[in-house]
Amino acid sequence: MIPACELTEIMAESNDSESFLILDENNQTISQSNPSYIGEDGYIPTSLFNKIDREATKGQFNYTFNGTEFKISYETSLYNNWTYLSFVKLSDLHVKSSSIGWITLLIISILLIISVIFAVIGSKVLYKPIKRLKNAINPTTAASSNRNEFELIETHIESLLSQNNQLEQRVQNQVTQLKQLFMMRLLQGKVSESELHTKIKNFHYVESWSWLTVFSLKVDAIDQNKFNKNDQDLILFAINNLMEDIIPSEQRFTPVVLNDTQTTILITDCEKDSDYTHLINQQVELIQQKVKELLHLSVSIGISLRYVNLCDSNKAFKESKEALKYRLKMGESSIIYYKNLNRRYSSIAPYPVAIKNQIFDAIKLSEKDQATEEIDKFFDYIDQNDIHHQQLEIILSRFFYELFELKELLGISVEDFDSTEMITHYQNLHSLEEMKEWVVHRIVQPLITNLDAKDESKNKRISDKMIRIIHENFNKDISLDIIAAELHYNPNYLSSIFQKETKFSFSEYLLRYRLNKAKDWLTTTDKSVKDIAEELQYNNSQNFIRSFRKMEGITPGKYRLRYKSKEA
């Protein structure tokens, strides 16, 4: 506790221009810094006490005391309910406020001058970017124009906004391409679920459905009289545009073309399986009908399982493409549901080795009709057996690879089957019938034709070798067996080749050659008939004379005399 007298002394020393007074809740003075403000009984005047608002914890009011006006501020303590009053003469306040005003004016003037200086410097610094921007817009125009910089910049910004609007319009025109790109990425499984919702909303797609299904469409055989093979991409894009017209936008997403396949995601609100199946069949038949009607083409369509989430589009796309692989067996204008496919590996048909061997034997024997008949059996076997498409690819790949090996073994060149890349060409064909036509007319028949030509050339080379041996060894003991041993062939095989190429048997040709040599010696040398007979490997001269007379009609001696008489 501080004694009241000490508190009064402390308050009296605190401030000369301001007086303080502390009252209790009964208007009894507890402490004061100037005793002139209270009466002899220790109470402040009642009029002053009434000015204090007891409902408020603090306040301020003017009060005239002994002819002097005071500004009195008070505050009531919530702790002990004491009231603290501050007495300040209004005249002192006016003097202080006047001093503060002049000081404030001085400070403001100084600050204003400093601000002006900084504003001038700052404006120059700030103007530099504006000046550079002005010159960047168009240096020539900016330098000569009377318009201020901001007008030029405003004009340029308006021009940029106009260009931006034009660019925005172009982007809007490309929305279809953006949608197609999105669908391609979606079908390839490259769109995240978070991106999916954003894209659907931005592209204004339908946001709710019961089921979604993926259609994949491929063109069957193209009419070469109307279209070129290089037109396939154009045909697919035409079909893609047709899909947009056939199927309402609220029942599908944007159709796209991926490689050689046209693909569409169909959405439905069907709850019943029967309604769903009816709608799908209706759409598929309409598509095939319109393509046939407008483009005069047949198409096959693979249909995936049905899904709820759009995230499953990639899986559904793969299913629809796998379904399309079965069109080889089903033929043109096939509608193939993935759910109806035989995806079991238990019923595996064996590779038709016996039929393949019959085909290859017919090729080796150059029997075109027999080879064609066996090829028919091969494809009938594939068509009649329920073969999973992956197994079908294995059978076909193996068959074409072995056929290519046979071609290489025979050393034959076939234009449409002259590299290992051509082995997989069958994957570009649209049906087993088309594949069979390709095998028969573009591979097997040219193979047999070239094999025949090669055999003829080979036979010619063999017969030429035999003739050369005869010419070089006519005066020696020579026979077909000796030549066969030298050339490493069967004598009977050589005999048939020689007969086919020269139209003479081996022995007849040898006899004729030797007798021609005898005629030459008889007319150009003095060799005796006996010596000639010995040199030509005759056992005796009589055999030689008989052979000579049989061929020429006269004996060797008379032949020589006739020749000499002609010379004379």
Side-chain angles (χ1 to χ4, degrees), residues 382-441:
I382 292 176
D383 189 41
Q384 292 168 6
N385 285 276
D386 187 13
I387 302 175
H388 187 272
H389 83 85
Q390 291 183 353
Q391 185 195 358
L392 177 60
E393 288 186 357
I394 292 172
I395 291 176
L396 292 173
S397 297
R398 178 177 171 181
F399 173 71
F400 286 114
Y401 183 80
E402 290 178 348
L403 187 59
F404 186 84
E405 279 189 329
L406 175 65
K407 178 190 77 72
E408 293 293 301
L409 182 64
L410 295 174
I412 307 299
S413 176
V414 177
E415 183 179 356
D416 289 340
F417 200 60
D418 212 26
S419 65
T420 53
E421 287 78 7
M422 293 301 297
I423 292 176
T424 58
H425 176 70
Y426 74 90
Q427 296 175 350
N428 300 323
L429 304 176
H430 305 90
S431 64
L432 290 177
E433 186 64 29
E434 187 178 353
M435 192 181 304
K436 182 172 67 176
E437 292 295 317
W438 176 63
V439 174
V440 171
H441 298 292

Side-chain angles (χ1 to χ4, degrees), residues 179 182-183 199-200 203-207 252-254:
K179 286 183 176 180
F182 165 65
M183 294 310 302
K199 294 292 185 183
I200 290 176
F203 290 141
H204 305 292
Y205 285 130
V206 176
E207 298 186 27
R252 58 160 175 81
F253 287 92
T254 304

Side-chain angles (χ1 to χ4, degrees), residues 282-326:
Q282 190 179 44
Q283 294 286 11
V284 170
E285 290 172 2
L286 179 62
I287 291 168
Q288 287 188 328
Q289 176 189 341
K290 290 295 184 181
V291 172
K292 190 74 174 178
E293 177 184 328
L294 298 175
L295 301 177
H296 307 288
L297 292 170
S298 64
V299 294
S300 295
I301 301 176
I303 304 170
S304 73
L305 299 175
R306 59 183 183 179
Y307 292 92
V308 175
N309 295 323
L310 196 58
C311 296
D312 294 320
S313 298
N314 175 244
K315 183 178 179 181
F317 176 56
K318 291 177 180 178
E319 291 174 353
S320 65
K321 287 184 65 178
E322 183 171 353
L324 272 178
K325 293 179 180 179
Y326 285 82

Side-chain angles (χ1 to χ4, degrees), residues 34-64:
N34 190 340
S36 62
Y37 298 151
I38 58 177
E40 293 179 358
D41 55 358
Y43 293 91
I44 64 173
T46 305
S47 58
L48 175 60
F49 183 78
N50 292 334
K51 285 277 189 178
I52 299 173
D53 186 0
R54 290 297 177 178
E55 300 296 329
T57 57
K58 58 184 176 180
Q60 196 176 64
F61 57 88
N62 293 336
Y63 184 77
T64 302

